[in-house]
Amino acid sequence: MSAPAPLLVVGDALLDHDLCGRVERLAPDAPVPVVSSLRRIARPGGAALAACLAAADGRQVTLVTALGDDEASASLCRLLPDRVRLVRLPLTGALSSKTRVLAEDRPLLRLDDGDGRARERTDEACRAIAEAGAVLVADYGRGTADVLREALRSAAARVPVVWDPHPRGRPPVPGVRLATPCASEARAFAGRAHPGDESQGGSALHAAARHADTLVRAWQAASVVVTLGGRGALLSHGETPLLVPSPVTAEGDACGAGDRFAATAAGSLADGELTETAVRAAVHAATRYVAEGGARALAVDTAPAAPPRPSHDHEPTDDALRTAARVRAAGGTVVAAGGCFDLLHAGHVALLEAARRTGDCLVVCVNSDASVRRRKGSGRPLVPLADRVRVLRALECVDAVAVFDEDTPERLLGELRPHIWAKGGDYALAHLPEASLVESWGGQVVLFPYLDGRSTTGIAERAAATPQPTRRPAARRSR
């Protein structure tokens, strides 16, 4: 698998703080909760969060943002990972920061501080934009996109530009490949473009479609996608919209989910994907982000990576291990399912969709080509491993894929340590040698109903028995 393409992120960086504790009583002098046992967490916010999320996908990221000499700017720089190269613009005032007070992971209060704004562009920033193959603009209304507007306008004419707008910012430059407002932002921007449009009636989906269509024309954008929280996203090119639903209902901290959505969409476009494919990937990633604990789960990504495996299949497996670790650290439920998945069929999909609904992430453990040959014979697999992994990853219900070379997945399960190991109902516990292993760490084996008549072997046999049409010999050309 080729490495993800580099990405340039342009926008306003913030410094975020969370004060997390518990509430057991009200204050004696006022009816307000007393938050005790505080834990203090600092993390990148705004465009810096979007850059870190893109870097967590394995990309080399350049972040163009305004920073000053204040302590908040210095703290933010220390939090950026090595994959993020920083290009600084001068900042007037102190870097903006926000502090959330949370009790039992629920926000009680938010405090905003710092009113710094980007002062001017620099030659280095303009060069970075001119040389970029894809750009994400995370506009938080603090001036970075404004001072670089002409450079961004030129970039939009030649490379994919994704623009994540903010109510306090200006509209995207003409020609962006994709703009990503949330529903309330789309309503406000559409009202500015056509006063009165935001007040019209209709369902939430109808309103989102109308606002997206308005903004495609007003912004001269190739497409606008309106994010709808847990419902997914609605994509418009100015014609009939495409609704991309969330694969599951994710409960959790949604702070930063818009940055996760925009970073994934921009990264997919940088990799050469179609806009529709990029939006599907972004909906899936944002849903998984919320389920895994939001921005607070990012710290797990800084842990040392596992030693490289001798097999060439280590990349998807390492990604699966990181996904399982993030979900476990956030208190979620890790679900795993396994199989060859050679000629993916309706029975496979039904099992995987049912398995995903039982937890907060689904990791699919798939046999390598050599493992399939040992189990199924020399004529299998019909579909090579790389293609099987790609098809599985494209399913909305699948969060990650892991590969194992052995005949059974015990070694891989010992690394993943899922809470639930899902199997089709055609298996019995007596036939699952991995059952005792899963139960050894408190995990549970769960059987799901199996769709009768669906099997790879049956499909292959029917295909082989189907008569092939006789080709007529090509007619000779007359000379």
Side-chain angles (χ1 to χ4, degrees):
M1 297 183 183
S2 58
L7 182 66
L8 178 71
V9 178
V10 178
D12 307 298
L14 311 173
L15 180 64
D16 287 353
H17 299 275
D18 281 350
L19 300 179
C20 307
R22 64 173 187 267
V23 173
E24 298 173 336
R25 62 190 178 93
L26 296 178
D29 53 343
V32 295
V34 175
V35 184
S36 59
S37 302
L38 286 177
R39 293 180 293 111
R40 300 174 185 269
I41 302 170
R43 64 172 187 273
L49 174 59
C52 291
L53 291 167
D57 295 334
R59 300 183 189 280
Q60 292 296 328
V61 178
T62 299
L63 171 63
V64 178
T65 193
L67 296 171
D69 298 326
D70 55 293
E71 179 55 34
S73 294
S75 297
L76 177 64
C77 290
R78 290 192 292 267
L79 293 173
L80 295 177
D82 293 339
R83 282 186 179 270
V84 176
R85 181 176 77 91
L86 186 61
V87 175
R88 300 173 68 128
L89 299 177
L91 182 73
T92 299
L95 183 71
S96 297
S97 64
K98 66 181 183 183
T99 301
R100 298 190 306 166
V101 181
L102 301 98
E104 310 299 335
D105 295 330
R106 296 183 180 275
L108 296 178
L109 180 68
R110 174 174 147 178
L111 307 172
D112 287 10
D113 190 26
D115 55 359
R117 290 187 61 85
R119 186 167 69 241
E120 59 189 4
R121 67 182 186 181
T122 65
D123 291 342
E124 184 183 10
C126 291
R127 278 196 305 273
I129 295 173
E131 296 169 358
V135 181
L136 167 60
V137 180
D139 183 9
Y140 277 75
R142 289 166 174 83
T144 299
D146 292 343
V147 300
L148 294 168
R149 195 166 183 85
E150 288 308 313
L152 292 170
R153 182 190 294 267
S154 298
R158 62 177 183 82
V159 299
V161 173
V162 174
W163 197 292
D164 191 12
H166 190 281
R168 298 201 305 180
R170 295 171 63 185
V173 298
V176 299
R177 182 75 61 85
L178 182 66
T180 64
C182 68
S184 61
E185 292 166 345
R187 182 174 63 250
F189 279 118
R192 293 182 206 172
H194 295 286
D197 181 71
E198 79 283 3
S199 61
Q200 296 181 26
S203 68
L205 286 179
H206 184 270
R210 187 176 68 249
H211 298 151
D213 182 62
T214 297
L215 295 177
V216 167
R217 298 192 303 271
W219 288 346
Q220 301 175 50
S223 55
V224 171
V225 61
V226 179
T227 56
L228 303 171
R231 300 184 68 178
L234 188 140
L235 173 65
S236 174
H237 301 287
E239 299 176 351
T240 304
L242 171 70
L243 178 63
V244 181
S246 297
V248 294
T249 300
E251 301 291 340
D253 186 0
C255 179
D259 297 294
R260 174 70 278 182
F261 184 97
T264 301
S268 295
L269 292 177
D271 292 339
E273 300 288 357
L274 298 174
T275 302
E276 290 83 355
T277 304
V279 169
R280 283 171 56 89
V283 168
H284 194 282
T287 302
R288 184 169 66 245
Y289 171 90
V290 174
E292 292 176 357
R296 283 172 294 153
L298 283 177
V300 177
D301 287 340
T302 63
R309 291 174 173 76
S311 168
H312 65 281
D313 304 324
H314 71 272
E315 182 180 341
T317 302
D318 287 346
D319 176 65
L321 293 173
R322 287 191 294 267
T323 296
R326 286 197 301 269
V327 172
R328 189 177 294 106
T333 298
V334 178
V335 184
C340 300
F341 299 100
D342 196 14
L343 289 184
L344 192 72
H345 54 70
H348 292 142
V349 175
L351 167 65
L352 297 178
E353 288 178 335
R356 179 60 177 82
R357 288 192 291 268
T358 65
D360 300 298
C361 80
L362 172 62
V363 176
V364 177
C365 304
V366 61
N367 299 71
S368 69
D369 288 347
S371 176
V372 175
R373 278 192 295 272
R374 289 194 301 270
R375 293 190 59 197
K376 305 288 187 178
S378 59
R380 302 283 294 274
L382 301 171
V383 179
L385 176 65
D387 290 352
R388 288 185 283 132
V389 169
R390 184 168 185 175
V391 171
L392 286 166
R393 280 177 156 178
L395 295 178
E396 294 284 1
C397 58
V398 175
D399 296 283
V401 177
V403 179
F404 61 96
D405 288 313
E406 300 81 7
D407 293 341
T408 56
E410 283 100 324
R411 179 195 57 78
L412 180 56
L413 287 174
E415 295 183 71
L416 286 170
R417 298 176 69 85
H419 300 90
I420 295 174
W421 175 237
K423 298 296 291 184
D426 56 334
Y427 285 87
L429 288 181
H431 300 151
L432 289 176
E434 63 268 27
S436 59
L437 174 67
V438 173
E439 293 166 357
S440 69
W441 56 73
Q444 182 180 7
V445 176
V446 176
L447 299 181
F448 291 89
Y450 189 77
L451 293 180
D452 291 335
R454 277 81 169 181
S455 75
T456 299
T457 301
I459 293 172
E461 289 175 348
R462 288 194 296 274
T466 301
Q468 299 299 310
T470 302
R471 292 187 176 182
R472 293 182 178 180
R476 287 186 179 179
R477 296 182 184 176
S478 60
R479 297 193 177 184

